[in-house]
Amino acid sequence: MSKKVNEWLKELTLEEKASLCSGKDFWTTQDIERLGIPSIMVTDGPHGLRKQAGESDHLGLNESIKTTCFPSGVSLASSWDRDLLEEVGKALGEESQSEDVSVLLGPGVNIKRSPLCGRNFEYFSEDPYLSSQIAKHHILGVQSQGVGTSIKHFAANNQEYKRMNVDTIVDERTLREIYLASFETAIKEAKPWTVMSAYNKLNGVYCSDNHRLLTEILRDEWGYEGLVISDWGAEDDRIQGIKAGMDLEMPGNGGRNDQKIVDAVNNSDLSGEALDKVVARVLDLAYKGSEKQNQVTYDKKEHDDLAKKVASECMVLLKNDHDILPLSSDQKIAVLGELAVASRYQGGGSSHINPTYLHSALDSLQALGNISYAKGYNLSEDQVDDKLVDHALELVHSNDLVVIFAGLPERYESEGYDRSHMSIPENQLDLIDRVSQVSDKVVVVLANGSPIEMPWVDQVQGLLEGYLGGQAGGAAIADILYGHVNPSGKLAETFPIKMKDNPSSLNFPGKETKVMYQEGIFVGYRYYEAKEMKTLFSFGHGLSYTSFEYSNLSLDKDQINDTEFVTLSVDIKNTGNRLGKEVVQVYVKEMNPIVIRPEKELKEFVKVELKPGQIKTVTFKLSKRAFAYYNVDIKDWHVATGDFKLMVGSSVDQIHLERLINVTSTQVIKKVYTRNTSLDELKDHPVGKAMVDQVVGKIAEMMGGSGVIQGDALEGFIASLTLRNLLMFGGMSETELEGLIYQLNQ
Ligand code: BGC
């Protein structure tokens, strides 16, 4: 806390303090003129600046000033490129500085629990490690320019349905390993100026009134020193919110809660210290936020070029049979589908940006090749228009190859509501179907913010996931299709074959304002891998116009303690004849876990660029957290001593190399033995083991030496017994049993 903030705090009256606890209006904080306390501006976020000069709203309804629209979160994460995210963040910071905005409201890091969440386009991944890494570098980039961020929506806000009052019921381990983990690293390592508390309830308590979430976990455990801002209208009980550590209520509401705060302090329902803590953080933000750099400007064209470069790093080549791509300029190409012209390049709602330029895919393609175009379907409706299809089919016959633009119309996905299915409109399905019946040279380019079902996938030869690529997305698509850029994006989420395959599908979006996260930690690929389930496209998947070879995986140690780290290195070679980039992914599996653990968990990744024939050695350092699970008994991350498999691959289901490592825990967990402890929990106990052996002998004898129960069966039988059962099977007396339990606990 700066000296200035302390001075201000001393001078403020109770009424002034109360007024600082909420905004002045939609986008600014309260100023106190008499003390020179400034007001600062915050605006959305996350992939562009949505500064409204005229009427304010938080749904993206009213127009904002023109700024660069970078690719949406779903795209950015598919780059798997930390440096690129910092570059984007830096550009966003420059634009914020130049528009006098102090805090950019993003990034959004909620986990993609279901492909149906209407806001998935804004979020990064189904995997918390990837999501938090991407967020961290986004934040570092923005904040390097002296502009704050607001990591959101804290926490477990994974659907839009009833987002204002749904109660998310999630068990502690799942919360820590999946939903909070997506925030944790970014918050600890990038220190966002603000954290935005979510609309929903978490295990019965509104996130904005949640002391456990906002104080015990965020501040006491994670050491967060910044400010908590409420999502717009998320605060339910302002006094409870202050007690919980929710500092700034947004948007401003004409001081509706000010008197309540004053009264609460006066009648001792709220302590002056609790209020001061909140006010000090608001003052600190105002102080930091008002220290603007002078006269920052940015070059709109340069940022547009950056938006194009970024978009081309994010798109994912999902399929490329017989190397149908890249196109060559002497091929005659039929481009079909209204989405080629009316590009979808961002999602709807509060993140909606008014772009500085807009590159249509069709124009960009026409600049590079021999293109004819037919609309094929009406984007504004779902019904088939036979005339449009017939015209499209004529073009198919008179050209060498077809590129169909398909995807989700804007009305299908947005902030504020979820999808109810994963299909694209009927008229697009029909077009793909009829075209692919008469041509075996069909490429589909997708525009969507979240996975779709593709019953037609085997009927087409090429497939580019363009996602929502921002204002220059159309130009990036053309560059990739014509091979001016070699695609290098990888999926940050799984595409299931059908909606029902998704682990959340039985409990999404919940009933009666409650949603139970019953799939637990088995979110996304963690589930498909565990079930050995076929998916349409797996997590981490993405093709290139060149090929890569993995070799020489080595570890600097084959045994470590959980206080040490292991260095893993692997050689990657570009075996094709084009410059390309590969995302090398490291997954970890515990071999004999005592708790249920996923088959694979992403723990590291890096994107490397390689010239044809070039080999690079990449290295990773893995430490405790890569091997640990969240142990709810000790309320901490814990590595159980044992073997772990390290897998290096180009996607979760394309593992090329693997090695084992043994990790020894240095954490002593004092186990308490009771009458109801299972016998198999004593296997590693010096006293317990001898006792178990003895009982096994007795039981085998009791079974009459018949040999019916032996080997695995006997082991299973013993495992089902508890110490208490020794009274019956082990011929023990109560006193002997008590003595044994005493001994075990020494
Ligand atoms: C959204 C936030 C956004 C805020 C301000 C809310 O409805 O959930 O993500 O930052 O509005 O527009």
Side-chain angles (χ1 to χ4, degrees):
M1 210 69 47
S2 75
K3 208 167 133 233
K4 191 80 210 152
V5 169
N6 279 324
E7 279 169 28
W8 281 338
L9 202 56
K10 280 197 203 112
E11 296 291 324
L12 287 166
T13 65
L14 176 58
E15 285 70 19
E16 285 169 337
K17 286 180 185 175
S19 75
L20 285 165
C21 295
S22 58
K24 178 172 168 173
D25 54 33
F26 226 84
W27 302 117
T28 64
T29 62
Q30 187 64 51
D31 51 349
I32 307 278
E33 229 183 300
R34 89 178 170 88
L35 296 174
I37 296 172
S39 163
I40 60 161
M41 175 170 252
V42 303
T43 63
D44 289 303
H47 57 268
L49 198 66
R50 190 171 70 91
K51 179 177 169 179
Q52 289 181 315
E55 267 189 65
S56 308
D57 69 89
H58 65 297
L59 294 174
L61 303 175
N62 291 312
E63 195 150 283
S64 49
I65 59 164
K66 284 188 188 297
T67 53
T68 313
C69 178
F70 288 97
S72 303
V74 60
S75 298
L76 291 173
S78 313
S79 73
W80 294 61
D81 190 333
R82 296 174 172 100
D83 295 339
L84 191 77
L85 260 292
E86 283 197 30
E87 253 187 278
V88 173
K90 192 166 164 277
L92 291 169
E94 281 166 9
E95 297 197 15
S96 304
Q97 279 284 359
S98 89
E99 296 297 348
D100 210 17
V101 168
S102 301
V103 177
L104 184 74
L105 301 173
V109 300
N110 297 101
I111 289 290
K112 299 180 195 217
R113 174 176 179 251
S114 164
L116 299 179
C117 171
R119 226 170 161 178
N120 276 359
F121 68 86
E122 224 177 308
Y123 300 145
F124 293 135
S125 181
E126 67 189 24
D127 179 83
Y129 180 76
L130 176 60
S131 175
S132 214
Q133 288 295 316
I134 295 291
K136 171 181 161 183
H137 292 275
H138 178 284
I139 295 167
L140 287 175
V142 175
Q143 297 195 167
S144 71
Q145 300 308 298
V147 171
T149 54
S150 193
I151 192 168
K152 63 191 186 182
H153 309 86
F154 193 58
N157 176 188
N158 311 92
Q159 64 186 54
E160 292 299 281
Y161 177 74
K162 292 200 191 282
R163 67 170 167 162
M164 297 289 174
N165 62 350
V166 72
D167 190 1
T168 301
I169 308 294
V170 49
D171 71 86
E172 184 66 13
R173 186 175 158 208
T174 302
L175 187 63
R176 298 291 188 146
E177 290 188 21
I178 305 290
Y179 298 98
L180 293 185
S182 184
F183 289 87
E184 187 181 349
T185 307
I187 289 179
K188 284 180 173 169
E189 294 177 12
K191 304 189 185 344
W193 287 13
T194 79
V195 170
M196 189 186 290
S197 59
Y199 283 129
N200 52 291
K201 289 181 186 165
L202 175 58
N203 292 327
V205 183
Y206 274 109
C207 290
S208 303
D209 295 341
N210 201 316
H211 187 267
R212 174 145 197 271
L213 187 66
L214 304 182
T215 296
E216 291 163 45
I217 295 177
L218 179 65
R219 294 192 165 105
D220 299 348
E221 276 187 42
W222 296 356
Y224 180 64
E225 289 179 349
L227 168 131
V228 175
I229 189 170
S230 74
D231 197 347
W232 267 232
E235 180 58 290
D236 177 49
D237 176 339
R238 191 64 193 107
I239 305 304
Q240 189 48 43
I242 291 175
K243 290 181 185 169
M246 207 300 287
D247 305 309
L248 178 61
E249 180 184 9
M250 284 304 276
N253 50 29
R256 194 172 54 216
N257 284 324
D258 295 5
Q259 193 56 45
K260 279 191 211 162
I261 297 172
V262 171
D263 292 347
V265 173
N266 285 335
N267 64 27
S268 305
D269 181 25
L270 177 67
S271 71
E273 295 80 64
L275 179 62
D276 278 2
K277 274 191 190 167
V278 161
V279 173
R281 290 191 287 251
V282 175
L283 293 175
D284 194 45
L285 181 75
Y287 182 71
K288 274 198 294 203
S290 58
E291 278 195 318
K292 305 295 290 178
Q293 293 165 14
N294 283 332
Q295 306 286 316
V296 175
T297 54
Y298 70 97
D299 184 327
K300 289 195 165 59
K301 178 71 181 65
E302 263 176 33
H303 281 199
D304 182 57
D305 290 345
L306 175 63
K308 178 173 153 187
K309 179 183 103 171
V310 173
S312 63
E313 294 282 324
C314 297
M315 294 181 181
V316 188
L317 182 62
L318 292 175
K319 179 170 178 176
N320 195 19
D321 289 357
H322 317 297
D323 291 336
I324 188 168
L325 291 172
L327 307 173
S328 82
S329 53
D330 49 22
Q331 281 170 313
K332 282 165 61 194
I333 313 288
V335 169
L336 311 179
E338 198 182 349
L339 277 165
V341 185
S343 309
R344 261 206 80 211
Y345 60 98
Q346 63 174 331
S350 61
S351 67
H352 204 271
I353 305 303
N354 187 5
T356 51
Y357 302 90
L358 195 52
H359 303 251
S360 101
L362 183 63
D363 290 347
S364 307
L365 285 165
Q366 275 165 342
L368 299 180
N370 185 347
I371 306 284
S372 11
Y373 167 73
K375 195 173 175 191
Y377 56 81
N378 284 312
L379 192 55
S380 59
E381 52 194 45
D382 289 17
Q383 299 91 319
V384 178
D385 181 330
D386 282 322
K387 270 207 205 110
L388 293 180
V389 180
D390 289 344
H391 180 217
L393 288 172
E394 280 166 27
L395 282 198
V396 173
H397 292 300
S398 56
N399 281 278
D400 302 324
L401 194 148
V402 192
V403 178
I404 303 178
F405 282 77
L408 297 173
E410 203 154 5
R411 63 186 180 280
Y412 271 50
E413 54 180 351
S414 165
E415 175 178 343
Y417 54 89
D418 299 316
R419 282 187 295 164
S420 57
H421 60 78
M422 273 175 57
S423 184
I424 56 174
E426 187 55 39
N427 51 8
Q428 296 187 29
L429 289 171
D430 179 76
L431 181 70
I432 297 174
D433 198 41
R434 281 159 71 181
V435 169
S436 60
Q437 278 176 30
V438 295
S439 170
D440 59 4
K441 288 201 167 51
V442 182
V443 173
V444 173
V445 177
L446 293 173
N448 47 309
S450 194
I452 57 166
E453 286 172 359
M454 302 182 205
W456 40 264
V457 72
D458 293 334
Q459 295 163 237
V460 305
Q461 291 68 46
L463 182 58
L464 177 68
E465 177 51 90
Y467 278 130
L468 303 177
Q471 65 183 46
I477 287 172
D479 277 353
I480 289 178
L481 292 184
Y482 275 100
H484 296 297
V485 172
N486 192 350
S488 62
K490 299 262 187 175
L491 294 180
E493 60 191 349
T494 311
F495 277 54
I497 294 173
K498 56 184 193 307
M499 187 50 228
K500 283 286 174 205
D501 292 349
N502 178 266
S504 75
S505 64
L506 296 177
N507 288 288
F508 182 94
K511 292 267 184 244
E512 297 175 336
T513 59
K514 221 178 224 168
V515 55
M516 317 279 280
Y517 285 17
Q518 280 179 343
E519 68 285 356
I521 56 173
F522 291 96
V523 175
Y525 71 85
R526 285 170 168 73
Y527 177 79
Y528 303 115
E529 284 287 315
K531 296 279 287 183
E532 295 178 359
M533 206 161 178
K534 239 179 136 262
T535 58
L536 185 56
F537 296 107
S538 61
F539 178 81
H541 169 74
L543 304 172
S544 163
Y545 296 149
T546 186
S547 49
F548 302 98
E549 196 180 85
Y550 287 61
S551 63
N552 296 331
L553 170 59
S554 68
L555 310 182
D556 66 339
K557 306 177 193 96
D558 50 19
Q559 196 282 324
I560 56 166
N561 287 342
D562 62 1
T563 48
E564 300 168 332
F565 55 78
V566 56
T567 306
L568 172 158
S569 65
V570 62
D571 291 346
I572 313 295
K573 181 177 182 187
N574 181 344
T575 49
N577 50 17
R578 269 171 194 269
L579 177 81
K581 290 184 184 175
E582 171 68 325
V583 177
V584 183
Q585 303 161 38
V586 180
Y587 296 89
V588 175
K589 172 191 162 86
E590 183 172 353
M591 298 307 288
N592 297 298
I594 44 171
V595 294
I596 291 168
R597 296 203 66 180
E599 284 298 304
K600 285 174 194 151
E601 291 187 276
L602 181 77
K603 295 298 172 185
E604 254 298 1
F605 64 87
V606 71
K607 192 168 192 172
V608 275
E609 183 176 78
L610 295 160
K611 296 188 196 101
Q614 191 180 6
I615 303 178
K616 277 188 188 166
T617 304
V618 296
T619 58
F620 303 99
K621 277 187 177 173
L622 298 181
S623 54
K624 177 174 174 181
R625 193 62 182 262
F627 304 100
Y629 68 95
Y630 189 81
N631 183 318
V632 290
D633 294 327
I634 61 165
K635 299 188 173 52
D636 198 1
W637 294 88
H638 175 67
V639 182
T641 297
D643 288 341
F644 291 80
K645 186 155 70 176
L646 301 178
M647 294 161 274
V648 178
S650 45
S651 74
V652 75
D653 64 357
Q654 290 290 315
I655 299 298
H656 305 300
L657 300 164
E658 52 187 55
R659 285 278 181 283
L660 281 185
I661 180 158
N662 181 276
V663 186
T664 305
S665 174
T666 56
Q667 214 170 4
V668 181
I669 300 182
K670 176 107 181 75
K671 193 167 165 50
V672 179
Y673 297 93
T674 70
R675 294 165 65 83
N676 292 312
T677 300
S678 303
L679 295 194
D680 69 339
E681 288 174 56
L682 302 175
K683 276 190 306 215
D684 299 325
H685 192 289
V687 177
K689 172 143 184 4
M691 192 272 310
V692 172
D693 288 346
Q694 204 186 341
V695 177
V696 171
K698 276 205 182 146
I699 290 177
E701 221 173 90
M702 263 173 61
M703 296 292 177
S706 63
V708 176
I709 299 193
Q710 51 182 318
D712 285 354
L714 183 59
E715 223 173 88
F717 185 76
I718 299 291
S720 73
L721 299 179
T722 64
L723 281 170
R724 169 169 51 87
N725 298 131
L726 295 180
L727 297 171
M728 189 166 52
F729 290 106
M732 238 181 216
S733 70
E734 282 281 0
T735 326
E736 283 169 334
L737 179 62
E738 268 173 37
L740 173 65
I741 293 171
Y742 176 80
Q743 246 186 310
L744 289 170
N745 281 318
Q746 292 314 298

